[in-house]
Structure formats: structure tokens, C-alpha cells
Amino acid sequence: HHLPRSKGLEFIKHIKEHTEIGGLNAIANFTKNGDFFKENPKTNNFYLREGELGQLYKDWEILTYKEIGGMALKNKPDGSPMINISANILARKLK
């Protein structure tokens, strides 16, 4: 998520192209549904839209895909923990 959005998408395209048939990609990346993005929604950093990572791998066999929340080490101004949602995928290249 620290890459610019365009570079994050290029990176995923690159690793997909350079994965051998039968090879696996495992990715976890923050989504726009989490507090880090909500804190700075105008950022150009690579935060995924809901379901976007699954769509990027729709031409692969998706072994697992989930979007899950977890507490960040940073707190909100009111002292409550920030929660981030990350998209997690394990996918196998078919062709």
C-alpha cells in the first residue's frame, strides 16, 4: 500500500506474467475500507477497492480470498485503535 496505485497495479501484472503455469501468488494488501485510507482518502497510494484483488485474479484459480480486519499499531485521535481491512489472496496460474 506504500506504492503509488499505478505502480501497485503494474507490480501485480508483472508477477502474474512472470509466474509459471501452476505457480502461486500470495498477496495481502490494505483496502479502501480501512482506517488508514479513511484518514487520507485523497492519497495516491495503492489501496484496493472492495473485491478488486479477486477481480485482478479472475483468470486464475483462486484458492482462498478474503477481506479481513485487523488492528493497526496506530490509534485514532480519540485513542481507539485504527482498524484496517486487508484483501488476502492465494491464487494458482492455470494457463
Side-chain angles (χ1 to χ4, degrees):
H1 69 278
H2 291 293
L3 294 173
R5 181 166 173 78
S6 62
K7 294 291 183 189
L9 292 170
E10 284 176 28
F11 178 71
I12 289 176
K13 181 180 177 185
H14 178 81
I15 63 173
K16 285 180 69 180
E17 289 173 354
H18 291 86
T19 301
E20 294 183 18
I21 293 173
L24 300 172
N25 280 191
I27 297 176
N29 199 87
F30 289 148
T31 72
K32 292 184 175 189
N33 292 335
D35 288 334
F36 280 176
F37 181 79
K38 290 175 183 176
E39 183 180 62
N40 185 14
K42 294 187 186 233
T43 183
N44 187 37
N45 287 358
F46 185 44
Y47 288 90
L48 294 160
R49 293 183 306 274
E50 187 173 335
E52 183 177 14
L53 188 57
Q55 284 297 309
L56 291 170
Y57 279 87
K58 66 183 178 188
D59 55 335
W60 287 38
E61 177 187 9
I62 297 175
L63 303 172
T64 61
Y65 181 80
K66 52 187 153 178
E67 295 184 11
I68 55 174
M71 287 193 315
L73 297 176
K74 184 177 177 183
N75 289 333
K76 296 178 187 178
D78 68 3
S80 64
M82 294 185 88
I83 303 295
N84 283 304
I85 310 299
S86 70
N88 300 271
I89 195 167
L90 178 62
R92 178 178 303 144
K93 187 172 186 174
L94 298 174
K95 53 183 173 171

